Amino acid sequence: MHRFLLVATAGVLASGVAQAQVTEDDLQNDQSVTTQIVTNGMGRHLQRYSPLDIINTSNVKNLVPAWAFSFGGEKQRGQESQPLIYDGVMYVTGSYSRLYAIDVKTGEEIWQYDARLPEGILPCCDVVNRGAAIYGDKVYFGTLDARIVALDRKTGDVVWRKKIADYKAGYSYTAAPLIVNGLIITGNSGGEFGVVGEVQARDAETGDMVWTRPVIEGHMGTFKGEESTMTGTLNATWPGDMWKTGGGATWLGGSYDAETDTLVFGTGNPAPWNSHLRNAGEPRPDNSGDNLYAASRLGIDPANGEIKWHFQTTPREGWDFDGVNEVIPFEDANGNKRYATADRNGFFYVLNREDGAFVDAFPFVKDITWAEGIDENGRPVFVEDNRPGDPAAAADGAKGENVFSIPSFLGGKNWMPMAYSQKTGLFYIPSNEWGMDIWNEPISYKKGAAYLGAGFTIKPLFEDYIGSLKAFDPLTGEVKWEYKNNAPLWSGVMTTAGGLVFAGTPEGHLKAFNDETGEELWSFQTGSGVVGQPITWEMDGEQYVAVLSGWGGAVPLWGGEVAKKVNYLNQGGLVWVFKVPKQLASSD
């Protein structure tokens, strides 16, 4: 369904006025141009840091709502999106593959696009969408039936619509697309269905495919419609035909490092979860059971899709520790150019920017059980007794030995993006302290059916909290401060030059913290759980903050005992926008 309402205020797309064009320079300079937000992550490096300081530690207490916008209807769940701001318009996606254009001054709807989703879609972890992309005169977003749609920014009319993959086989798409040098770059979702992870690049103007790069060894990439190179080496780390349904979904999307001209994408869990079926249950001196390139980070050439380097965070993965979490370029306190990523497996990794080589790793959650630590090569030192058992070794062959593992399969950190402050040099990580009972079961692949081969129950570790927002030093691994939250944290984080860290809670609060001390300086109850991604921008000399409110995502669907703990939380679908009134901006 699509409806359009022309708004001719604030210079917003009045009839007959030429539409502003988003350029590659706009995308590249997104962090420094504070009057707009044209990329997911507030910059393609995903630092989520704003140089604005109009709102700061002294006056954030005066932050009040400017307007709110309801997504309407009955589709009130899982609002994980990050809004974009350009030329007087906010572009924001909602659950069930919807996209809205909103007058950023008044909160009035300009147009709305609802994807016509077919029956039989198979989203693993709720009906979420994490955001759009804008370039030229178009706005782009992905849909739960594994398509990418380009819309005219002025009218919301469809310009082109392309198929990423077959939704009937379990593929879907939930991430915000990434645009680099006129290419729109997408991953895919569906790792629980035996899909094959892939990164695709299309011409942003036409939607025509330029290159594809599967991320599981043995699969062939393409360039301009022809086969290019194979990913990895066939059967080097995968047995038999298991690579054909090997998982590795690239479901969170990627970042772009302009200094090295590199796309950095994470890859999800190998399929099935039962590592013994992938001949990965026992360590091998030659690492031939690693199941590349699942649970990894990949450096990819944006021009042709060739893999420049890889780093695997969890070889022989057997706990659903996806490696998709965002990879953020930064410069450390010693002037070294690094990447940082906080993995689902509970370890924070620092990599070299030039080649993705391992530099260091630190645990960022408590009591990790599956590994003793990370060795000098970046490989985990496994605790083999904490690998779920092989069903084939059980007396009845129906269920392998159960183990209690920390973290849970939802991770020390899941999809929710951390932020890096150029002011403090710290990362602010939305993490969770939980574990799981997990066991393996026999499984065989069937198109469109869950392909796990495992059972699980998530359990909290501590009585008083699960969520933990941590201020983390990437040089030492020290936690400078920690905010503990009763329910799991599932929102993105944002930092500003005003000394602030913004994050949301499932209980409904958007909170602002002092970036140095962790002191809570401001809180607002939004009416539903906050699992969105905060942003900030400047308009008419005032600084604004926005976030989506609407509880959902994976926790209430997969959370086991944790889900019972949060089943009272209400769903919702609102965009909240806040500002400090001018007369209070200088208030002490």
Side-chain angles (χ1 to χ4, degrees):
M1 183 183 73
H2 169 261
R3 66 177 185 267
F4 171 70
L5 173 65
L6 186 65
V7 177
T9 61
V12 178
L13 309 180
S15 179
V17 177
Q19 187 170 195
Q21 302 282 309
V22 179
T23 67
E24 172 66 18
D25 283 345
D26 288 326
L27 301 177
Q28 181 59 32
N29 298 315
D30 195 27
Q31 185 176 76
S32 60
V33 182
T34 58
T35 54
Q36 63 189 38
I37 298 171
V38 293
T39 61
N40 179 264
M42 298 167 59
R44 291 180 297 193
H45 47 40
L46 308 185
Q47 288 185 355
R48 299 182 182 275
Y49 170 79
S50 171
L52 285 170
D53 61 1
I54 299 170
I55 301 173
N56 52 56
T57 54
S58 297
N59 62 25
V60 69
K61 64 187 178 185
N62 298 320
L63 202 60
V64 294
W67 53 262
F69 177 86
S70 172
F71 290 149
E74 299 176 356
K75 300 174 180 179
Q76 304 289 308
R77 56 188 268 198
Q79 311 299 348
E80 293 184 353
S81 182
Q82 181 214 287
L84 301 174
I85 307 290
Y86 185 71
D87 196 27
V89 181
M90 174 185 286
Y91 300 95
V92 61
T93 61
S95 57
Y96 291 95
S97 306
R98 295 171 292 167
L99 178 62
Y100 301 82
I102 305 167
D103 185 314
V104 78
K105 283 198 170 185
T106 66
E108 295 180 7
E109 181 177 299
I110 300 170
W111 55 257
Q112 173 185 341
Y113 174 83
D114 290 0
R116 295 182 180 273
L117 296 174
E119 296 292 330
I121 58 172
L122 296 167
C124 146
C125 306
D126 212 354
V127 289
V128 302
N129 188 286
R130 298 189 177 98
I134 51 179
Y135 183 69
D137 58 0
K138 300 177 185 62
V139 56
Y140 308 82
F141 82 121
T143 62
L144 287 168
D145 58 342
R147 293 181 181 274
I148 180 77
V149 183
L151 305 175
D152 183 284
R153 283 196 296 109
K154 180 177 180 180
T155 66
D157 293 334
V158 174
V159 179
W160 54 257
R161 183 191 293 114
K162 301 291 184 179
K163 178 180 176 181
I164 294 173
D166 180 9
Y167 74 88
K168 294 180 181 178
Y171 288 91
S172 55
Y173 186 71
T174 56
L178 176 64
I179 296 177
V180 176
N181 295 326
L183 297 178
I184 182 163
I185 299 156
T186 56
N188 60 22
S189 301
E192 275 56 65
F193 295 94
V195 304
V196 173
E198 186 171 80
V199 182
Q200 299 178 351
R202 291 178 167 82
D203 183 293
E205 182 65 26
T206 65
D208 294 339
M209 193 78 78
V210 176
W211 56 258
T212 64
R213 174 50 54 193
V215 300
I216 298 297
E217 71 176 19
H219 293 271
M220 190 66 69
T222 66
F223 181 66
K224 296 184 177 180
E226 304 289 336
E227 286 190 349
S228 57
T229 57
M230 180 181 288
T231 299
T233 303
L234 181 62
N235 290 136
T237 65
W238 286 82
D241 288 342
M242 296 292 290
W243 59 277
K244 293 182 179 179
T245 52
T250 50
W251 57 268
L252 193 54
S255 57
Y256 176 62
D257 182 357
E259 290 190 34
T260 63
D261 190 27
T262 304
L263 302 172
V264 187
F265 267 74
T267 66
N269 58 283
W273 287 18
N274 182 347
S275 64
H276 301 277
L277 292 177
R278 295 181 268 108
N279 287 356
E282 296 296 332
R284 300 177 184 178
D286 62 355
N287 300 330
S288 61
D290 283 359
N291 303 140
L292 293 171
Y293 292 104
S296 300
R297 306 309 198 275
L298 303 181
I300 299 174
D301 188 329
N304 56 25
E306 294 298 318
I307 295 175
K308 294 182 174 184
W309 53 260
H310 78 275
F311 177 77
Q312 190 172 43
T313 47
T314 316
R316 301 197 297 119
E317 198 283 309
W319 302 264
D320 189 36
F321 292 153
D322 284 11
V324 299
N325 289 1
E326 71 280 5
V327 178
I328 299 177
F330 76 107
E331 187 171 310
D332 72 16
N334 297 322
N336 299 305
K337 294 182 178 181
R338 304 300 195 201
Y339 291 126
T341 185
D343 197 87
R344 200 148 142 177
N345 68 20
F347 289 95
F348 182 100
Y349 295 83
V350 179
L351 307 178
N352 181 49
R353 286 266 288 278
E354 289 299 322
D355 55 7
F358 175 74
V359 175
D360 215 338
F362 312 95
F364 67 91
V365 292
K366 300 177 177 69
D367 303 331
I368 293 171
T369 62
W370 68 276
E372 294 178 2
I374 307 298
D375 71 17
E376 66 277 7
N377 299 312
R379 293 181 66 85
V381 181
F382 289 103
V383 178
E384 291 298 338
D385 288 344
N386 197 254
R387 182 179 295 274
D390 186 356
D396 59 2
K399 181 178 178 180
E401 181 182 1
N402 175 69
V403 299
F404 184 72
S405 183
I406 301 172
S408 81
F409 74 90
L410 288 180
K413 189 178 90 65
N414 201 275
W415 78 274
M416 55 281 192
M418 64 183 179
Y420 172 72
S421 172
Q422 294 180 11
K423 173 179 170 287
T424 64
L426 301 177
F427 284 86
Y428 299 87
I429 308 173
S431 67
N432 291 300
E433 307 282 356
W434 46 19
M436 63 178 171
D437 287 321
I438 182 170
W439 59 92
N440 285 325
E441 302 167 345
I443 190 73
S444 58
Y445 174 77
K446 180 181 178 182
K447 180 180 177 180
Y451 189 44
L452 301 185
F456 45 81
T457 301
I458 294 180
K459 298 178 179 180
L461 298 182
F462 308 109
E463 298 224 351
D464 57 334
Y465 76 103
I466 298 172
S468 167
L469 177 63
K470 297 178 172 77
F472 194 87
D473 187 330
L475 280 179
T476 66
E478 180 184 357
V479 175
K480 296 291 188 178
W481 57 259
E482 178 182 18
Y483 165 77
K484 297 177 179 179
N485 195 72
N486 182 55
L489 293 181
W490 214 250
S491 89
V493 180
M494 176 184 68
T495 65
T496 76
L500 300 172
V501 177
F502 287 87
T505 73
E507 293 90 343
H509 294 96
L510 179 63
K511 294 178 179 286
F513 303 90
N514 183 302
D515 63 6
E516 297 277 4
T517 67
E519 178 187 359
E520 184 178 321
L521 301 175
W522 174 83
S523 180
F524 181 85
Q525 173 56 254
T526 66
S528 182
V530 177
V531 293
Q533 305 167 56
I535 60 166
T536 189
W537 73 98
E538 181 183 0
M539 182 169 60
D540 298 332
E542 296 179 297
Q543 184 180 349
Y544 290 75
V545 173
V547 76
L548 271 67
S549 171
W551 173 237
V555 174
L557 297 177
W558 295 83
E561 292 183 17
V562 170
K564 296 176 185 176
K565 191 172 182 177
V566 296
N567 61 9
Y568 70 94
L569 296 171
N570 292 319
Q571 295 179 347
L574 281 174
V575 182
W576 283 97
V577 175
F578 306 90
K579 71 173 183 177
V580 172
K582 284 185 177 180
Q583 63 269 29
L584 299 177
S586 59
S587 171
D588 292 329

